[in-house]
């Protein structure tokens, strides 16, 4: 089974849905942001102090490591909200995973995250960022809408969409 990657804007449910999907499929789960933090030994805001380019470089290195591993079984990966903004990352993700866009309306994201989130360095420009990233996410070969749907049900829909389960 090919790895499954989940993309979408911050707050769309990539991590929570990814955990549910991994459990449903008996697969491993990796949150790419968490992997970057472990590899770098510092938080995302700390990495961003060197600029977004420094973070994207660390993210791409973590992604290459993750997708280059010999896997004992299937893997579900929650990508970062901006992972696919890098051409190199897009190529890796689209070439080596079944990528699913967790499509969520901006109003839903705002309701989930509130007006500010200091752990998310790009949050202050969220509306503009959302508009810029939507066309990038739309390049994913699979799409599942998440508004008003709990992560467990989103995971079931992904499994059905990919022909992996009759749940």
């Amino acid at each position: 089974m090919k790895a499954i990657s989940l993309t979408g804007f911050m707050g769309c449910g990539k991590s929570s849905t990814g955990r549910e999907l991994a459990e449903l499929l008996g697969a491993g789960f990796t949150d790419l942001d968490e992997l970057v933090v472990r590899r770098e030994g510092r938080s995302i805001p700390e990495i961003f102090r060197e600029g977004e380019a420094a973070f994207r470089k660390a993210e791409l290195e973590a992604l290459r490591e993750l997708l280059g591993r010999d896997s004992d079984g299937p893997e579900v990966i929650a990508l970062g909200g901006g992972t696919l903004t890098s051409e190199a990352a897009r190529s890796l993700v689209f070439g080596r995973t079944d990528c699913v866009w967790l499509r969520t309306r901006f109003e839903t994201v705002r309701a989930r995250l509130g007006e500010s989130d200091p752990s998310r360095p790009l949050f202050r420009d969220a509306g503009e960022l959302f508009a810029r990233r939507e066309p990038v996410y739309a390049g994913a070969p699979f799409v599942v809408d998440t508004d008003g749907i709990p992560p467990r049900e989103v995971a079931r829909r992904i499994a059905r969409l990919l022909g992996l389960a009759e749940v």
Side-chain angles (χ1 to χ4, degrees):
M1 180 173 106
K2 210 173 191 184
I4 299 166
S5 62
L6 305 179
T7 191
F9 200 67
M10 62 181 99
C12 74
K14 296 180 297 290
S15 296
S16 54
T17 298
R19 286 184 184 91
E20 293 285 352
L21 183 60
E23 181 182 318
L24 183 68
L25 300 176
F29 173 74
T30 301
D31 182 303
L32 186 58
D33 283 344
E34 290 175 6
L35 179 59
V36 170
V37 167
R38 278 194 313 273
R39 287 179 88 245
E40 295 295 311
R42 52 198 172 132
S43 71
I44 291 173
E46 288 171 329
I47 301 167
F48 259 88
R49 286 190 195 120
E50 295 175 24
E52 185 176 355
F55 177 78
R56 296 292 166 222
K57 180 177 184 267
E59 183 181 54
L60 181 60
E61 289 170 2
L63 183 62
R64 283 185 174 131
E65 174 190 304
L66 178 61
L67 293 177
R69 290 180 188 162
D70 286 331
S71 178
D72 294 335
E75 182 78 15
V76 176
I77 304 163
L79 299 173
T83 303
L84 296 183
T85 61
S86 156
E87 179 66 42
R90 257 193 326 276
S91 179
L92 275 172
V93 168
F94 292 167
R96 297 189 190 175
T97 75
D98 285 328
C99 185
V100 181
W101 174 23
L102 303 185
R103 185 167 51 193
T104 308
R105 291 188 342 258
F106 184 69
E107 297 76 22
T108 302
V109 168
R110 182 62 78 192
R112 288 178 183 169
L113 300 180
E115 293 300 316
S116 69
D117 186 339
S119 72
R120 299 172 189 269
L122 299 178
F123 189 83
R124 69 189 179 306
D125 301 318
E128 178 186 318
L129 195 59
F130 184 89
R132 277 198 331 261
R133 287 188 178 168
E134 246 191 341
V136 174
Y137 302 141
F142 302 99
V143 180
V144 174
D145 290 309
T146 68
D147 289 310
I149 303 168
R152 184 78 175 170
E153 178 56 27
V154 174
R156 286 186 183 111
R157 291 178 183 194
I158 292 168
R160 283 193 302 266
L161 177 67
L162 298 178
L164 301 174
E166 296 296 323
V167 291

